[in-house]
Amino acid sequence: KQEVTQIPAALSVPEGENLVLNCSFTDSAIYNLQWFRQDPGKGLTSLLLIQSSQREQTSGRLNASLDKSSGRSTLYIAASQPGDSATYLCADPINTGTASKLTFGTGTRLQVTL
Amino acid sequence: AAGVIQSPRHLIKEKRETATLKCYPIPRHDTVYWYQQGPGQDPQFLISFYEKMQSDKGSIPDRFSAQQFSDYHSELNMSSLELGDSALYFCASSPGRQGWTEAFFGQGTRLTVV
């Protein structure tokens, strides 16, 4: 059974810092990987999708990388802002060929302070 | 751009009552997923549909049932509600099975059972 671990569980940084969120999988045979952001009590916003043929994806100040051999993904946030404060979740689609679903990590709760 | 729409956004029910949650996927998305997120927990997969047929089933109680209709909207029916059913319920959609494509989530329905 795939288990997804996110480190750290919580992180507080001053505005302007660059930061790295980590995500690791017990089963490194992953296909795609998706990073989400969740504000308290709100829905999940898709940030980046890294497909199996890619090693990284970039969107604005966000960069996500995927190392399938080690079963790890990293989300890099540059020049953090207070508006980045949220919980960040990585998710591994489990694909059986007939169906698939996302297995989520437990998330990293990020607080960016002024 | 159109997003996944869930209704209602908030719902309060008493124990043993029935609730119906609705999900309207992004146009031309043929796959719908339901997730349950308890307080402080990561989203847990309940059930998914592809082209109006159930494609995968997760930890969905027997008291719950779901279906996808001809217009691709989906409904999650929850009967004999228990206090432990209080959670955020998310619907997600994707154009094709999740392993290949990006999943988009709705804002969720917050169900409170009293």
Side-chain angles (χ1 to χ4, degrees):
Chain A
K1 179 186 173 186
Q2 176 73 283
E3 293 183 4
V4 183
T5 304
Q6 290 189 244
I7 296 173
L11 183 62
S12 181
V13 300
E15 182 180 16
E17 271 203 11
N18 302 324
L19 55 101
V20 174
L21 308 181
N22 296 291
C23 175
S24 61
F25 312 88
T26 54
D27 182 355
S28 59
I30 56 177
Y31 191 81
N32 295 341
L33 183 128
Q34 195 167 353
W35 280 91
F36 293 90
R37 167 192 173 134
Q38 185 175 30
D39 294 284
K42 304 289 186 181
L44 292 147
T45 301
S46 177
L47 296 174
L48 291 163
L49 170 71
I50 308 176
Q51 296 184 318
S52 62
S53 59
Q54 301 170 323
R55 284 199 169 183
E56 65 178 288
Q57 274 280 29
T58 297
S59 175
R61 294 181 295 108
L62 304 179
N63 176 277
S65 64
L66 175 62
D67 183 347
K68 292 170 69 174
S69 63
S70 65
R72 301 177 75 167
S73 178
T74 298
L75 179 67
Y76 175 83
I77 302 177
S80 58
Q81 303 171 358
D84 295 332
S85 299
T87 296
Y88 290 81
L89 294 150
C90 63
D92 166 33
I94 297 174
N95 190 324
T96 65
T98 58
S100 59
K101 58 192 177 188
L102 286 170
T103 295
F104 286 90
T106 49
T108 293
R109 194 168 58 253
L110 173 65
Q111 174 94 29
V112 180
T113 58
L114 290 170
Chain B
V4 177
I5 297 173
Q6 291 187 245
S7 68
R9 293 293 308 278
H10 302 273
L11 191 58
I12 299 176
K13 290 285 186 178
E14 296 188 353
K15 283 194 305 183
R16 292 180 290 277
E17 282 194 321
T18 297
T20 298
L21 310 185
K22 296 185 178 182
C23 170
Y24 297 87
I26 293 172
R28 292 180 295 282
H29 282 197
D30 49 17
T31 305
V32 168
Y33 311 81
W34 286 96
Y35 288 81
Q36 176 191 59
Q37 186 177 33
Q41 298 179 357
D42 54 298
Q44 295 296 314
F45 173 73
L46 293 177
I47 195 167
S48 63
F49 294 88
Y50 172 66
E51 280 293 340
K52 293 155 278 185
M53 299 287 289
Q54 181 183 308
S55 61
D56 202 358
K57 200 170 182 179
S59 51
I60 183 169
D62 292 339
R63 300 177 289 107
F64 294 6
S65 65
Q67 57 181 322
Q68 186 178 31
F69 294 86
S70 58
D71 63 351
Y72 294 99
H73 94 272
S74 179
E75 294 184 3
L76 177 65
N77 297 293
M78 310 160 69
S79 62
S80 303
L81 287 169
E82 302 174 357
L83 295 178
D85 296 328
S86 296
L88 264 173
Y89 290 84
F90 291 110
C91 169
S93 75
S94 67
R97 297 189 179 116
Q98 216 166 38
W100 286 268
T101 58
E102 191 170 0
F104 296 88
F105 281 74
Q107 288 299 301
T109 294
R110 180 174 294 282
L111 172 66
T112 303
V113 181
V114 298

